[in-house]
Amino acid sequence: MKKLLSASLFMLFFSGSSLSAQYQPPHLSKKEIRKAQQWVDKTYSSLSQEEKLGQLFIVALYTNKGENEISNVRNIVRNDKIGGLILMQDDAAREIALVNEFQQTSKIPLMIGMDAEWGVFQRIPAAHKFPWAITLGAIQDKSLIEKMAAKIAEDCRRMGINWDFAPVVDVNTNPGNPIIGNRSFGSEVNNVVSSALPYANGLQNNNILAAIKHFPGHGDTDTDSHLDLPVVSHTQERLNAVEIAPFKALMDKGIGGVMVAHLYVPALEPAKGVPASISKNIITGLLKEKLGYKGLIITDALNMGAVANKYKPGELDAMAFEAGNDIMLFSQGVAAGKKLIRQAIDEGKISRSRLEESVKKILLTKYFLGLDRYEPRNPDHINADLNNDSHKMLVRNLYSHALTLLKDEQKLLPLNGKPVYYVPLEEAPYQAFADRMGANIMIKRKEEIRTIPAHSTVIVGLHKDNSTAYKPYKISEASKKVLTELAGNNKIILDVFGSPYALKDIDLSKVSTVLVSYENNEDAMTATADAFLGKTKIHGRLPVLVNESLKPGMGLDVESGNQTDR
């Protein structure tokens, strides 16, 4: 796998200035490096202290909360001279118009970010959805992930976004995790790293900053940090081997940002209940000094219950900056935060050089992202640009490569034109799969299963709601009962149109064939039907530990049209 940047470009040091950046465009000349230094030094010198402090803050911009909300953001941009915005729901054209407006009125161009882990669809419903990370973790040709991220970067640039807060590099070792789950590439460190790097490459090689998250690791939690403070109680040894390992492996790969989680990790922070996001031991001591990370360090959203329920706006921002963060994301108290940071600098609690370090790091990154010459975006036809055939073709190919065959005892795949019965279970749509299969299937509702002749080949589709990546995935007892009844005297092909964790407590002993499709949407169902019909091969691998029988790396290969020797 090619490197993001040559090793000599991972960090800059300039004589007479503590100017550094983890992210840089590839192939910079010495002349371009000097030009970057000059722009940053000149820009920094032109800023008042209030303007320097403003660079540390990113606030949220919603277009679905009314004009008062937008006016409030407009006032913050104008009065507090903030460094950036994070785009939230939900109208792309309106967001572009507002970003153009705010960029025009800002002395220093704004960093525009978005949580676009599975593309801008994560915030813009009209856009095309890309696969979740767990789906990507099943893909063996990791170059496809880089192609996907390059397409996400194209969509981001189209909207004026220059920072995608992705990829997630949490190692999801907890099947019941209420907030990571499908957002993780899997439960194995190596697979997480080998999937995250091409994702970051695809963004940054196309001039969109990446941010690996959620440091020091959110994969083994049973609390949603949007609601309360999760605790990660592992030993230092375990943390180094699993939770921190992907961050450490990716630190020197030129990735421009690290997002710090709202987690309490006793092995890393002795003060009881102190979240990682405001822990100097974790951010400065571990991330910056021990691991040597030189890029932008940004908090997770400061409106999340894990911290917002405990600390006051402004107070929280000041604590986060003092701990070592460069940027406070989703700030709820910019003016108060600036005041408290200024006071801490005046009192000597925070050095002026610390402020200079963060602001220059932000400015240098903005320069490398081309924000010294911002060009307005055109909102016309934006929805069509974010959702067209180029997206569909790429996404269906990704789902096709992710399909994972866990068992096929009776060699039922591919179907090669054989007619089969199809029983859709659970609550989500299934028609796209049925339509693609065409005359090859005969649909039977669960109430009709006793009309299926004995010894038939039956596809059982578990179609779960695909609207969120966050919910733990569980199959109803009623569906399990139907599966058991069908498996008694038929040849069963079980297809999970959702998380493989659904198989955790399902009896598969009498099920011949088990396929995981990972998601329940038109693209995933179309890709699955094509594989069943022998049009495409199956060669994904299970990215997570489901139970003692279903382990990471499992998967059988099926060639298109005929089976390989397995």
Side-chain angles (χ1 to χ4, degrees):
M1 185 180 298
K2 68 178 183 179
K3 300 290 186 181
L4 176 65
L5 302 170
S6 64
S8 62
L9 289 181
F10 287 151
M11 185 173 68
L12 291 177
F13 287 105
F14 297 102
S15 58
S17 175
S18 59
L19 199 56
S20 65
Q22 192 82 358
Y23 163 75
Q24 300 170 39
H27 314 305
L28 286 178
S29 67
K30 290 182 179 180
K31 182 179 180 181
E32 289 169 324
I33 291 174
R34 285 195 300 270
K35 188 177 179 182
Q37 176 189 8
Q38 292 166 357
W39 185 86
V40 172
D41 286 342
K42 181 180 179 182
T43 302
Y44 183 81
S45 298
S46 73
L47 300 178
S48 66
Q49 187 184 48
E50 288 302 299
E51 290 170 331
K52 292 171 184 174
L53 290 170
Q55 288 298 301
L56 308 175
F57 296 86
I58 289 178
V59 302
L61 174 63
Y62 289 86
T63 56
N64 64 346
K65 290 190 175 182
E67 289 303 313
N68 288 340
E69 176 74 15
I70 292 171
S71 294
N72 182 51
V73 174
R74 182 178 285 113
N75 290 334
I76 292 173
V77 170
R78 183 188 302 119
N79 299 329
D80 292 310
K81 318 296 183 187
I82 58 172
L85 299 168
I86 176 172
L87 302 187
M88 304 299 289
Q89 290 83 357
D90 64 338
D91 184 284
R94 179 72 167 129
E95 286 186 349
I96 288 174
L98 289 167
V99 167
N100 286 339
E101 174 195 335
F102 296 156
Q103 292 286 27
Q104 204 168 27
T105 60
S106 297
K107 178 178 178 179
I108 305 301
L110 299 162
M111 186 88 82
I112 307 299
M114 179 183 277
D115 290 308
E117 297 165 27
W118 47 94
V120 300
F121 171 85
Q122 193 167 346
R123 296 292 181 246
I124 307 295
H128 203 96
K129 182 193 176 299
F130 289 89
W132 292 328
I134 193 172
T135 310
L136 302 175
I139 294 173
Q140 298 307 291
D141 181 358
K142 300 300 183 183
S143 68
L144 294 174
I145 299 176
E146 184 166 350
K147 291 178 181 177
M148 182 201 81
K151 190 65 175 178
I152 292 174
E154 178 185 309
D155 292 346
C156 286
R157 289 197 310 274
R158 178 66 182 85
M159 286 196 62
I161 296 164
N162 36 66
W163 195 353
D164 181 359
F165 299 124
V168 169
V169 299
D170 301 315
V171 183
N172 199 72
T173 57
N174 185 346
N177 196 318
I179 188 59
I180 302 302
N182 294 323
R183 301 168 66 198
S184 167
F185 293 110
S187 59
E188 301 297 296
V189 170
N190 289 341
N191 190 34
V192 169
V193 172
S194 66
S195 302
L197 183 56
Y199 191 118
N201 287 348
L203 293 177
Q204 294 196 169
N205 286 340
N206 291 280
N207 212 219
I208 299 297
L209 198 66
I212 50 178
K213 61 186 186 183
H214 307 80
F215 187 82
H218 210 317
D220 188 12
T221 56
D222 53 17
T223 300
D224 182 350
S225 50
H226 290 89
L227 306 175
D228 206 347
L229 182 66
V231 178
V232 179
S233 56
H234 293 303
T235 65
Q236 178 78 62
E237 183 179 19
R238 152 68 192 237
L239 291 169
N240 288 338
V242 179
E243 279 74 18
I244 296 171
F247 295 94
K248 187 175 182 180
L250 295 166
M251 286 295 170
D252 65 347
K253 301 298 189 291
I255 296 172
V258 168
M259 181 179 287
V260 185
H262 305 311
L263 303 168
Y264 172 44
V265 191
L268 303 178
E269 173 50 68
K272 187 174 181 179
V274 173
S277 52
I278 57 171
S279 166
K280 193 167 186 176
N281 289 316
I282 292 174
I283 300 171
T284 299
L286 176 58
L287 181 56
K288 296 175 74 171
E289 295 176 355
K290 188 173 181 179
L291 296 178
Y293 185 65
K294 303 297 181 184
L296 289 175
I297 301 172
I298 183 169
T299 68
D300 206 344
L302 295 180
N303 71 324
M304 292 167 63
V307 289
N309 294 341
K310 187 175 180 180
Y311 305 98
K312 296 178 181 178
E315 173 190 42
L316 179 58
D317 299 78
M319 294 170 72
F321 182 68
E322 188 171 359
N325 292 287
D326 299 302
I327 297 175
M328 277 60 74
L329 178 65
F330 222 116
S331 174
Q332 304 289 284
V334 175
K338 288 173 67 176
K339 179 180 179 182
L340 290 171
I341 294 171
R342 184 173 62 250
Q343 288 177 355
I345 292 172
D346 292 342
E347 294 168 3
K349 294 179 181 178
I350 300 174
S351 68
R352 294 185 185 278
S353 63
R354 171 66 223 292
L355 177 63
E356 179 180 0
E357 172 196 333
S358 288
V359 175
K360 285 190 172 181
K361 196 190 300 185
I362 293 165
L363 292 175
L364 183 58
T365 304
K366 286 184 174 183
Y367 180 87
F368 283 148
L369 291 170
L371 283 171
D372 62 311
R373 51 190 185 281
Y374 178 78
E375 296 180 3
R377 302 301 192 266
N378 184 352
D380 294 346
H381 313 298
I382 181 60
N383 290 343
D385 291 343
L386 297 177
N387 192 345
N388 54 46
D389 286 344
S390 68
H391 295 84
K392 185 182 295 184
M393 290 175 60
L394 173 59
V395 169
R396 288 185 180 176
N397 192 37
L398 290 163
Y399 283 118
S400 177
H401 279 76
L403 295 174
T404 304
L405 184 64
L406 297 177
K407 60 185 295 194
D408 191 16
E409 293 172 351
Q410 294 175 280
K411 306 293 189 290
L412 300 180
L413 294 182
L415 295 173
N416 290 328
K418 295 190 294 285
V420 297
Y421 290 91
Y422 168 50
V423 179
L425 299 176
E426 296 297 303
E427 76 284 355
Y430 62 86
Q431 198 60 46
F433 175 74
D435 290 346
R436 192 72 168 189
M437 292 293 293
N440 290 276
I441 63 168
M442 295 164 280
I443 301 174
K444 293 289 185 178
R445 298 284 190 174
K446 61 184 178 181
E447 298 85 4
E448 303 172 310
I449 61 172
R450 291 181 182 176
T451 66
I452 298 174
H455 312 300
S456 296
T457 299
V458 182
I459 299 172
V460 177
L462 299 178
H463 295 270
K464 290 292 292 184
D465 175 44
N466 204 67
S467 62
T468 177
Y470 305 111
K471 292 179 182 176
Y473 192 95
K474 192 169 179 63
I475 299 301
S476 68
E477 291 302 317
S479 291
K480 292 178 191 176
K481 185 177 179 181
V482 171
L483 177 63
T484 299
E485 185 173 345
L486 283 168
N489 59 357
N490 294 292
K491 292 176 284 188
I492 301 298
I493 301 171
L494 177 63
D495 197 314
V496 182
F497 288 95
S499 168
Y501 288 129
L503 298 169
K504 187 175 189 297
D505 57 358
I506 293 181
D507 181 7
L508 300 176
S509 61
K510 295 183 179 180
V511 176
S512 164
T513 305
V514 179
L515 186 75
V516 181
S517 296
Y518 295 97
E519 302 184 40
N520 196 84
N521 56 46
E522 183 178 344
D523 293 321
M525 286 188 275
T526 299
T528 302
D530 285 350
F532 276 178
L533 296 173
K535 296 178 182 179
T536 57
K537 61 183 179 179
I538 299 171
H539 57 126
R541 294 294 182 267
L542 190 64
V544 294
L545 175 65
V546 175
N547 55 35
E548 284 304 307
S549 300
L550 301 174
K551 298 182 178 182
M554 286 182 62
L556 303 171
D557 291 345
V558 176
E559 293 298 325
S560 57
N562 52 49
Q563 298 186 63
T564 61
D565 181 8
R566 291 170 289 145

